[in-house]
Amino acid sequence: MADPITVSALSKTFTLHNQGGIRLPVFSDLSLRVAAGECVCLHGPSGAGKSTLLRSLYANYKADGGDIIVMHRGAPIDLVSAEPWRIIEARRETIGYVSQFLRVIPRVPALDIVAEPARAIGVSADAARGKARGLLTRLRIPERLWSLAPATFSGGEQQRVNIARGFIVDYPVLLLDEPTASLDAENRRTVIALIQEAKARGAAVVGIFHDAEVRDAVADRLFEVESFQGRAA
Amino acid sequence: MSAAASMRTRAPLMQARSVTRSYGGNIGCRDVSFTLYPGEVIGIVGESGSGKSTLLACLSGRLEPDSGVISYDMRGRGFVDIQTLSEPERRMLMRTDWGMVHQNPRDGLRMAVSAGGNVGERLMAVGARHYGDIRGEAQNWLAKVEIDLERIDDKPRTFSGGMQQRLQIARNLVTTPRLVFMDEPTGGLDVSVQARLLDLLRGLVRELGIAVIVVTHDLAVVRLLADRLMVMRRGEVVEHGLTDQVLDDPHHPYTQLLVSSVLQA
């Protein structure tokens, strides 16, 4: 069985056409392999390209060259060259992504925002909501907030709704962008437990964890994105 | 889920090949090609005059392209070049398997007919004859688009802009079309009303697994609705791809300008 994530010869340069065409090389010839049940922590100073790599792994950023092979439905797909509908399908079933900020949808209650990814893969409304309730409870979102749209929630509450949404489906690949950035110690430990459970069921996890406690608890190894800098043409 | 299921079968719903249309010496749209799959939502963005409305008019058979082919997978017939359809065939398609949501509800509604009649009329076009069934289905759809059932016999001219737009959507979706064209569906509405309409559209499109081609200049609309995005400038598609990829990592100079010009609220 191939690894869930295999990145090879990946390169990314931003070209800012409206600022004199300035070119900002981020990384080149980057290779990374993540095994099932393994958690890789993207490491390095601010500006090293950690977020750019993580977003590339979700096909949110488009790499210039190389490939990102993800095992989806038992077969490899290359996120750099796949058609949009295939990427959408892979995101629905295979690749979970917890961003730093929740993108709030007007009027949709927190419970449904969390349940939505499970509904999208065919889980019944009742089962999806049941699972959503369980996650919101674990993440200490008070029940009185579940039926409200999270637009008015605090930053920490929004982030916990976002985490619940990211963990409601047992994705084989999980991408985490500072999931504990605005959380207190108790909730941080809950997120650590969620990540450890995901690893135990065989998820390949790639994350950015600035918090040393979280990093030490979940990461199997550190990956220095910076070491692939400066080689871009 | 229906959207997810239908996208698993990879047969396209519509294919556009090198669609070109000009007005006199002026370019409308030039050499536009794409494939639309069932249940997929494509956004077309660009400024006024970019050709996006011309393209939409060609795709929906309201305007004849100078060159290029638009083929559609018609129920029971397979792929048909929509230019070869007779006028009655095209109108039938427009009333049944297609929908068209105009920016101005007045262009898509019959203002002198009751709200219930506006919805029921589309049902009658597909053969419904039983008054009770038609009224029941009309009520069902008015509820889905959050229009108070007490207003069913009122004429749309007494409705607010947001209600008219929701009625137009109900009128279009009642026949469960497989493809709906939308031209600036939130264009004339207040911001608070826009959010409600967008959320409603998003829910219905996903629930019913409808394919949508939506033209707008509002990037927030496509961010929320569209799987894929085409960016048009001076009649040409300058960039296309996954919606969030095009908006978060734009490559073409014009897309970069468009994205960076949005004011952060």
Coordinates of all heavy atoms in Angstrom, one line a residue, chain A residues 12 14-18 55 58-64 73 83-89 91-93 103 105-108 116 119-122, chain B residues 1 3-4 7-8 10 37 40 146 195-197 199-200 202 206 223-224 227-228 241-242 244-246 248-254 256-257 260:
Chain A
K12 N 7.2 26.1 -5.9 CA 6.2 27.2 -5.8 C 6.9 28.6 -5.8 O 7.7 28.8 -4.9 CB 5.4 27.0 -4.6 CG 4.3 28.1 -4.4 CD 3.2 28.1 -5.5 CE 2.3 29.2 -5.4 NZ 1.4 29.3 -6.5
F14 N 5.6 32.7 -6.2 CA 4.6 33.7 -6.4 C 5.1 34.8 -7.3 O 6.2 35.3 -7.1 CB 4.1 34.3 -5.1 CG 3.4 33.4 -4.2 CD1 4.0 32.9 -3.1 CD2 2.0 33.0 -4.5 CE1 3.3 32.0 -2.2 CE2 1.4 32.1 -3.7 CZ 2.0 31.6 -2.5
T15 N 4.3 35.1 -8.4 CA 4.7 36.2 -9.2 C 3.6 37.3 -9.0 O 2.4 37.1 -9.3 CB 4.7 35.8 -10.7 OG1 5.6 34.7 -10.8 CG2 5.2 36.9 -11.6
L16 N 4.0 38.5 -8.6 CA 3.1 39.6 -8.3 C 3.1 40.5 -9.5 O 3.9 41.4 -9.6 CB 3.5 40.3 -7.0 CG 3.7 39.4 -5.8 CD1 4.1 40.2 -4.6 CD2 2.4 38.6 -5.5
H17 N 2.2 40.3 -10.4 CA 2.2 41.0 -11.7 C 1.9 42.5 -11.5 O 2.3 43.3 -12.3 CB 1.1 40.4 -12.6 CG 1.4 39.0 -13.1 ND1 2.4 38.8 -14.0 CD2 0.9 37.8 -12.7 CE1 2.5 37.5 -14.2 NE2 1.6 36.9 -13.4
N18 N 1.1 42.8 -10.5 CA 0.8 44.2 -10.3 C 1.7 45.0 -9.4 O 1.5 46.1 -9.0 CB -0.7 44.3 -9.8 CG -1.6 43.7 -10.8 OD1 -1.7 44.1 -12.0 ND2 -2.3 42.7 -10.4
R55 N -1.1 24.7 2.2 CA -2.2 25.0 1.3 C -2.0 24.3 -0.1 O -3.0 24.0 -0.7 CB -2.2 26.5 1.1 CG -2.9 27.3 2.2 CD -2.6 28.8 2.1 NE -3.3 29.6 3.1 CZ -4.4 30.3 2.9 NH1 -5.0 30.2 1.7 NH2 -5.0 31.0 3.8
Y58 N -3.5 20.9 -0.1 CA -5.0 20.9 -0.2 C -5.4 21.4 -1.6 O -6.6 21.5 -1.8 CB -5.5 21.9 0.9 CG -7.0 21.7 1.2 CD1 -7.5 20.4 1.5 CD2 -7.9 22.7 1.0 CE1 -8.9 20.3 1.8 CE2 -9.3 22.6 1.3 CZ -9.8 21.3 1.6 OH -11.1 21.2 1.8
A59 N -4.4 21.7 -2.4 CA -4.7 22.3 -3.8 C -5.4 23.6 -3.7 O -6.0 24.1 -4.6 CB -5.5 21.3 -4.6
N60 N -5.2 24.3 -2.5 CA -5.7 25.7 -2.4 C -4.7 26.6 -3.1 O -5.2 27.6 -3.7 CB -5.9 26.0 -0.9 CG -6.3 27.5 -0.7 OD1 -5.6 28.2 0.1 ND2 -7.4 27.9 -1.3
Y61 N -3.5 26.3 -3.0 CA -2.5 27.0 -3.9 C -2.0 26.0 -5.0 O -2.0 24.8 -4.8 CB -1.2 27.4 -3.0 CG -1.4 28.6 -2.1 CD1 -0.4 29.0 -1.3 CD2 -2.6 29.3 -2.1 CE1 -0.5 30.1 -0.5 CE2 -2.7 30.4 -1.2 CZ -1.7 30.8 -0.4 OH -1.8 31.9 0.4
K62 N -1.7 26.6 -6.1 CA -1.3 25.8 -7.2 C 0.2 25.8 -7.4 O 0.8 26.8 -7.6 CB -2.0 26.4 -8.5 CG -1.9 25.5 -9.7 CD -2.7 26.1 -10.9 CE -2.6 25.3 -12.1 NZ -3.2 23.9 -12.0
A63 N 0.8 24.6 -7.2 CA 2.2 24.5 -7.4 C 2.6 24.7 -8.8 O 1.8 24.5 -9.8 CB 2.6 23.1 -6.9
D64 N 3.8 25.2 -9.0 CA 4.3 25.4 -10.4 C 4.8 24.1 -11.1 O 4.8 24.0 -12.3 CB 5.5 26.4 -10.4 CG 5.1 27.7 -9.7 OD1 4.0 28.2 -9.9 OD2 5.9 28.1 -8.8
R73 N -9.5 6.8 -2.6 CA -10.2 5.6 -3.0 C -9.3 4.5 -3.5 O -9.6 3.8 -4.5 CB -11.2 5.9 -4.1 CG -12.3 6.9 -3.7 CD -13.2 7.1 -4.9 NE -14.4 7.9 -4.5 CZ -15.4 8.2 -5.4 NH1 -15.4 7.6 -6.6 NH2 -16.4 8.9 -5.0
E83 N -8.2 17.3 -12.4 CA -9.3 18.2 -12.8 C -10.0 18.7 -11.5 O -10.0 17.9 -10.5 CB -10.3 17.4 -13.6 CG -9.9 17.4 -15.1 CD -11.2 17.0 -15.9 OE1 -11.9 17.9 -16.3 OE2 -11.3 15.8 -16.2
P84 N -10.5 19.9 -11.5 CA -11.2 20.4 -10.3 C -12.2 19.5 -9.7 O -12.2 19.3 -8.5 CB -11.9 21.7 -10.9 CG -11.0 22.1 -12.0 CD -10.5 20.9 -12.6
W85 N -13.0 18.8 -10.5 CA -14.1 18.0 -9.8 C -13.5 16.8 -9.1 O -14.0 16.3 -8.1 CB -15.1 17.5 -10.9 CG -14.6 16.5 -11.9 CD1 -14.1 16.7 -13.1 CD2 -14.6 15.0 -11.7 NE1 -13.8 15.5 -13.7 CE2 -14.1 14.5 -12.9 CE3 -15.0 14.2 -10.7 CZ2 -13.9 13.1 -13.0 CZ3 -14.9 12.8 -10.8 CH2 -14.4 12.3 -12.0
R86 N -12.3 16.3 -9.6 CA -11.6 15.2 -8.9 C -11.0 15.7 -7.5 O -11.0 15.0 -6.5 CB -10.4 14.7 -9.7 CG -10.9 13.9 -10.9 CD -11.0 12.4 -10.5 NE -9.7 11.8 -10.5 CZ -9.4 10.6 -9.9 NH1 -10.4 9.9 -9.4 NH2 -8.2 10.1 -10.0
I87 N -10.5 17.0 -7.5 CA -10.0 17.5 -6.3 C -11.1 17.8 -5.3 O -11.0 17.5 -4.1 CB -9.2 18.9 -6.6 CG1 -8.0 18.5 -7.4 CG2 -8.9 19.6 -5.3 CD1 -7.2 19.8 -7.9
I88 N -12.2 18.2 -5.8 CA -13.4 18.4 -4.9 C -13.8 17.1 -4.3 O -14.1 17.0 -3.1 CB -14.5 19.1 -5.7 CG1 -14.2 20.6 -6.0 CG2 -15.8 19.0 -4.9 CD1 -15.1 21.2 -7.0
E89 N -13.8 16.1 -5.1 CA -14.2 14.8 -4.6 C -13.2 14.3 -3.5 O -13.5 13.8 -2.5 CB -14.2 13.8 -5.8 CG -14.7 12.4 -5.4 CD -14.5 11.4 -6.6 OE1 -13.4 10.9 -6.8 OE2 -15.5 11.3 -7.4
R91 N -11.3 16.2 -1.7 CA -11.4 17.0 -0.5 C -12.6 16.5 0.3 O -12.7 16.5 1.5 CB -11.7 18.4 -0.8 CG -10.4 19.1 -1.3 CD -10.8 20.5 -1.7 NE -9.7 21.4 -2.1 CZ -9.8 22.6 -2.5 NH1 -11.0 23.1 -2.6 NH2 -8.7 23.3 -2.7
R92 N -13.7 16.0 -0.4 CA -14.9 15.6 0.3 C -14.6 14.3 1.1 O -15.1 14.1 2.2 CB -16.0 15.4 -0.7 CG -17.4 15.2 -0.1 CD -18.4 15.5 -1.1 NE -18.2 14.8 -2.4 CZ -18.3 15.3 -3.6 NH1 -18.6 16.5 -3.8 NH2 -18.0 14.5 -4.6
E93 N -13.8 13.4 0.5 CA -13.7 12.1 1.1 C -12.4 11.8 1.7 O -12.3 11.0 2.7 CB -13.9 11.0 0.0 CG -15.3 11.1 -0.6 CD -15.4 10.2 -1.9 OE1 -14.6 9.3 -2.0 OE2 -16.4 10.5 -2.7
R103 N -14.5 30.1 8.1 CA -15.2 30.9 7.1 C -16.7 30.8 7.4 O -17.3 29.8 7.1 CB -14.9 30.5 5.7 CG -15.2 31.5 4.6 CD -14.7 31.0 3.3 NE -13.3 31.3 3.0 CZ -12.8 32.5 2.7 NH1 -13.6 33.5 2.6 NH2 -11.6 32.7 2.5
I105 N -20.6 31.0 7.3 CA -21.6 31.1 6.2 C -22.8 31.8 6.9 O -23.3 31.3 8.0 CB -22.0 29.7 5.7 CG1 -20.8 29.0 5.2 CG2 -23.1 29.8 4.7 CD1 -20.9 27.5 5.2
P106 N -23.4 32.8 6.3 CA -24.5 33.5 7.0 C -25.6 32.6 7.3 O -26.0 31.7 6.5 CB -24.9 34.6 5.9 CG -23.9 34.6 4.9 CD -23.0 33.4 5.0
R107 N -26.2 32.7 8.5 CA -27.4 32.0 8.9 C -27.2 30.6 9.2 O -28.2 30.0 9.7 CB -28.5 32.2 7.9 CG -28.9 33.6 7.6 CD -30.3 33.7 7.1 NE -30.5 32.7 6.0 CZ -31.7 32.3 5.6 NH1 -32.8 32.8 6.1 NH2 -31.8 31.5 4.6
V108 N -26.2 29.9 8.9 CA -26.1 28.5 9.1 C -25.6 28.2 10.5 O -24.6 28.7 11.0 CB -25.1 27.8 8.1 CG1 -25.1 26.3 8.4 CG2 -25.5 28.1 6.7
E116 N -22.0 19.3 8.3 CA -22.0 19.4 6.8 C -21.1 18.4 6.1 O -21.5 17.7 5.2 CB -21.8 20.8 6.3 CG -22.0 21.0 4.8 CD -21.7 22.4 4.3 OE1 -20.7 23.0 4.8 OE2 -22.4 22.9 3.5
R119 N -22.5 15.0 6.1 CA -23.7 14.9 5.2 C -23.2 14.8 3.8 O -23.8 14.0 3.0 CB -24.5 16.2 5.4 CG -25.2 16.4 6.7 CD -26.4 15.5 7.0 NE -27.5 15.9 6.1 CZ -28.1 15.0 5.3 NH1 -27.7 13.8 5.2 NH2 -29.1 15.5 4.5
A120 N -22.2 15.5 3.4 CA -21.7 15.5 2.1 C -21.2 14.1 1.6 O -21.1 13.9 0.4 CB -20.6 16.6 1.9
I121 N -20.8 13.3 2.5 CA -20.4 11.9 2.1 C -21.5 10.9 2.3 O -21.2 9.7 2.3 CB -19.0 11.5 2.8 CG1 -19.2 11.5 4.3 CG2 -17.9 12.3 2.3 CD1 -18.1 10.7 5.0
G122 N -22.7 11.4 2.6 CA -23.8 10.5 2.6 C -24.2 10.0 4.0 O -25.1 9.2 4.1
Chain B
M1 N -25.7 15.4 -1.2 CA -25.3 14.0 -1.6 C -25.6 13.7 -3.0 O -24.8 13.1 -3.7 CB -26.0 13.0 -0.7 CG -25.6 11.6 -0.9 SD -23.8 11.5 -0.8 CE -23.4 10.2 -1.9
A3 N -25.5 15.7 -5.4 CA -24.4 16.3 -6.2 C -23.2 15.4 -6.2 O -22.6 15.1 -7.2 CB -24.0 17.7 -5.6
A4 N -22.9 14.9 -5.0 CA -21.7 14.0 -4.9 C -21.9 12.8 -5.8 O -21.0 12.3 -6.5 CB -21.5 13.6 -3.4
M7 N -21.7 13.4 -9.6 CA -20.3 13.7 -10.1 C -19.5 12.5 -10.3 O -18.4 12.6 -10.9 CB -19.7 14.8 -9.2 CG -20.1 16.2 -9.6 SD -19.7 17.4 -8.4 CE -18.0 17.8 -8.9
R8 N -19.9 11.4 -9.6 CA -19.1 10.2 -9.8 C -19.2 9.6 -11.2 O -18.3 9.0 -11.7 CB -19.6 9.2 -8.7 CG -18.5 8.7 -7.8 CD -19.1 8.2 -6.5 NE -18.8 9.2 -5.5 CZ -19.5 9.2 -4.3 NH1 -20.4 8.3 -4.0 NH2 -19.1 10.0 -3.4
R10 N -18.9 10.3 -14.8 CA -18.1 11.4 -15.4 C -18.6 11.9 -16.7 O -18.0 12.7 -17.4 CB -16.7 11.0 -15.5 CG -15.8 12.0 -14.8 CD -14.3 11.6 -14.8 NE -14.1 10.2 -14.2 CZ -12.9 9.6 -14.3 NH1 -11.9 10.1 -15.0 NH2 -12.8 8.4 -13.7
Y37 N -20.0 19.3 -15.7 CA -20.5 18.0 -15.2 C -21.8 18.2 -14.4 O -22.0 19.2 -13.8 CB -19.4 17.3 -14.4 CG -18.2 16.9 -15.1 CD1 -17.0 17.7 -15.1 CD2 -18.1 15.8 -15.9 CE1 -15.9 17.4 -15.8 CE2 -17.0 15.4 -16.7 CZ -15.9 16.3 -16.6 OH -14.8 15.9 -17.3
E40 N -22.4 20.3 -11.0 CA -21.3 21.2 -10.8 C -21.7 22.7 -10.9 O -22.6 23.0 -11.7 CB -20.2 20.9 -11.9 CG -18.9 21.3 -11.5 CD -17.8 20.9 -12.6 OE1 -18.2 20.7 -13.7 OE2 -16.7 20.9 -12.2
E146 N -38.9 30.3 1.6 CA -39.2 31.1 2.7 C -40.2 32.3 2.4 O -40.0 33.4 2.8 CB -37.9 31.6 3.4 CG -37.0 30.5 3.8 CD -35.6 30.9 4.2 OE1 -35.4 32.1 4.4 OE2 -34.8 30.0 4.4
A195 N -27.3 37.9 1.7 CA -26.8 36.8 2.4 C -27.8 35.7 2.6 O -27.5 34.5 2.4 CB -26.3 37.3 3.8
R196 N -29.1 36.1 2.8 CA -30.1 35.1 3.0 C -30.4 34.4 1.7 O -30.5 33.2 1.7 CB -31.4 35.9 3.4 CG -32.6 35.0 3.6 CD -33.8 35.8 4.0 NE -34.9 34.9 4.3 CZ -36.1 35.3 4.7 NH1 -36.4 36.6 4.7 NH2 -37.1 34.5 5.0
L197 N -30.4 35.1 0.6 CA -30.6 34.5 -0.7 C -29.5 33.5 -1.1 O -29.7 32.4 -1.6 CB -30.8 35.6 -1.8 CG -31.2 35.0 -3.2 CD1 -32.7 34.8 -3.2 CD2 -30.8 36.0 -4.3
D199 N -27.5 31.9 0.9 CA -27.5 30.8 1.7 C -28.6 29.8 1.3 O -28.4 28.6 1.2 CB -27.7 31.2 3.2 CG -28.0 30.1 4.1 OD1 -27.3 29.0 3.9 OD2 -28.9 30.1 4.9
L200 N -29.7 30.4 0.9 CA -30.8 29.6 0.4 C -30.4 28.9 -0.9 O -30.7 27.7 -1.1 CB -32.0 30.5 0.1 CG -33.3 29.9 -0.3 CD1 -34.0 29.3 1.0 CD2 -34.2 30.9 -0.9
R202 N -27.5 28.2 -2.0 CA -26.4 27.2 -1.8 C -27.0 25.9 -1.3 O -26.7 24.8 -1.7 CB -25.5 27.8 -0.7 CG -24.3 27.0 -0.3 CD -23.4 27.8 0.6 NE -22.5 26.9 1.2 CZ -22.7 26.2 2.3 NH1 -23.9 26.3 2.9 NH2 -21.8 25.4 2.8
R206 N -27.2 22.3 -3.5 CA -26.6 21.1 -3.0 C -27.6 20.0 -2.8 O -27.3 18.8 -3.1 CB -25.9 21.4 -1.7 CG -24.7 22.3 -1.9 CD -23.8 22.4 -0.8 NE -22.7 23.3 -1.1 CZ -21.6 23.4 -0.4 NH1 -21.5 22.8 0.8 NH2 -20.6 24.2 -0.7
R223 N -17.4 32.6 -4.2 CA -16.7 31.9 -3.2 C -17.7 30.9 -2.4 O -17.4 29.8 -2.1 CB -16.1 32.9 -2.2 CG -15.6 32.4 -0.9 CD -14.2 31.9 -0.9 NE -13.2 32.9 -0.9 CZ -11.9 32.7 -0.9 NH1 -11.5 31.5 -0.8 NH2 -11.1 33.7 -0.9
L224 N -18.9 31.4 -2.2 CA -19.9 30.6 -1.5 C -20.6 29.6 -2.4 O -20.9 28.5 -1.9 CB -20.9 31.6 -0.9 CG -21.6 31.2 0.4 CD1 -20.6 30.9 1.5 CD2 -22.6 32.3 0.8
D227 N -18.1 25.8 -7.5 CA -17.0 24.8 -7.4 C -15.8 25.3 -8.2 O -14.6 25.2 -7.8 CB -17.4 23.4 -7.9 CG -18.6 22.9 -7.2 OD1 -18.6 22.9 -6.0 OD2 -19.5 22.4 -7.9
R228 N -16.1 25.8 -9.4 CA -15.1 26.2 -10.3 C -15.3 27.7 -10.8 O -16.5 28.1 -10.8 CB -15.2 25.3 -11.6 CG -14.2 24.2 -11.5 CD -14.0 23.6 -12.8 NE -15.2 23.1 -13.5 CZ -15.3 23.0 -14.8 NH1 -14.3 23.5 -15.6 NH2 -16.3 22.5 -15.4
G241 N -10.2 27.6 -12.9 CA -9.8 26.5 -12.0 C -10.7 26.4 -10.8 O -11.8 27.0 -10.8
L242 N -10.3 25.7 -9.8 CA -11.0 25.6 -8.6 C -11.3 27.0 -8.0 O -10.3 27.8 -8.0 CB -10.2 24.8 -7.5 CG -10.2 23.3 -7.5 CD1 -9.2 22.9 -6.4 CD2 -11.6 22.9 -7.0
D244 N -11.6 28.3 -5.0 CA -10.8 28.8 -3.9 C -9.3 29.0 -4.4 O -8.6 29.9 -3.9 CB -10.8 28.0 -2.6 CG -10.4 26.6 -2.9 OD1 -11.1 25.8 -3.5 OD2 -9.2 26.2 -2.4
Q245 N -8.9 28.1 -5.3 CA -7.5 28.2 -5.8 C -7.3 29.5 -6.7 O -6.4 30.2 -6.5 CB -7.2 27.0 -6.7 CG -5.7 26.8 -7.0 CD -5.5 25.5 -7.8 OE1 -5.8 25.5 -9.0 NE2 -5.0 24.5 -7.2
V246 N -8.3 29.8 -7.5 CA -8.2 31.0 -8.3 C -8.3 32.3 -7.4 O -7.5 33.2 -7.7 CB -9.3 31.0 -9.4 CG1 -9.4 32.4 -10.1 CG2 -9.1 29.9 -10.4
D248 N -7.5 32.5 -4.1 CA -6.5 32.6 -3.1 C -5.1 32.6 -3.7 O -4.1 33.1 -3.1 CB -6.6 31.4 -2.1 CG -7.9 31.5 -1.2 OD1 -8.4 32.6 -1.1 OD2 -8.3 30.5 -0.7
D249 N -5.0 32.1 -4.9 CA -3.7 32.0 -5.5 C -3.8 32.4 -7.0 O -3.6 31.5 -7.9 CB -3.1 30.6 -5.4 CG -1.6 30.5 -5.9 OD1 -1.0 31.5 -6.1 OD2 -1.2 29.3 -6.1
P250 N -4.3 33.6 -7.3 CA -4.5 34.0 -8.7 C -3.2 34.1 -9.4 O -2.2 34.6 -8.9 CB -5.2 35.4 -8.5 CG -4.8 35.9 -7.2 CD -4.5 34.7 -6.3
H251 N -3.2 33.7 -10.7 CA -1.9 33.7 -11.5 C -1.9 34.8 -12.5 O -0.9 35.4 -12.8 CB -1.7 32.3 -12.2 CG -1.1 31.3 -11.2 ND1 -1.7 30.9 -10.1 CD2 0.0 30.6 -11.3 CE1 -1.0 30.1 -9.4 NE2 0.1 29.8 -10.2
H252 N -3.1 35.0 -13.2 CA -3.1 36.0 -14.2 C -3.1 37.4 -13.6 O -3.7 37.7 -12.6 CB -4.4 35.8 -15.1 CG -4.4 36.6 -16.3 ND1 -4.8 37.9 -16.4 CD2 -4.0 36.3 -17.6 CE1 -4.7 38.4 -17.6 NE2 -4.2 37.4 -18.4
P253 N -2.4 38.4 -14.3 CA -2.4 39.8 -13.8 C -3.7 40.3 -13.5 O -4.0 41.0 -12.5 CB -1.7 40.5 -14.9 CG -0.9 39.5 -15.6 CD -1.6 38.2 -15.5
Y254 N -4.7 40.1 -14.4 CA -6.0 40.6 -14.2 C -6.7 40.0 -13.0 O -7.4 40.8 -12.2 CB -6.9 40.4 -15.5 CG -8.3 41.0 -15.3 CD1 -8.5 42.3 -15.2 CD2 -9.4 40.1 -15.2 CE1 -9.8 42.8 -15.0 CE2 -10.6 40.6 -15.0 CZ -10.8 41.9 -14.9 OH -12.1 42.4 -14.6
Q256 N -5.3 38.8 -10.4 CA -4.6 39.4 -9.2 C -5.2 40.8 -8.9 O -5.4 41.1 -7.7 CB -3.1 39.4 -9.4 CG -2.5 38.0 -9.4 CD -1.0 38.0 -9.5 OE1 -0.3 39.1 -9.6 NE2 -0.4 36.9 -9.4
L257 N -5.4 41.5 -9.9 CA -5.9 42.9 -9.7 C -7.3 42.8 -9.2 O -7.7 43.5 -8.2 CB -5.9 43.6 -11.0 CG -6.3 45.1 -11.0 CD1 -5.3 45.9 -10.2 CD2 -6.4 45.7 -12.4
S260 N -7.3 41.6 -5.5 CA -6.7 42.5 -4.6 C -7.5 43.8 -4.5 O -7.3 44.6 -3.6 CB -5.2 42.9 -5.0 OG -5.2 43.5 -6.2

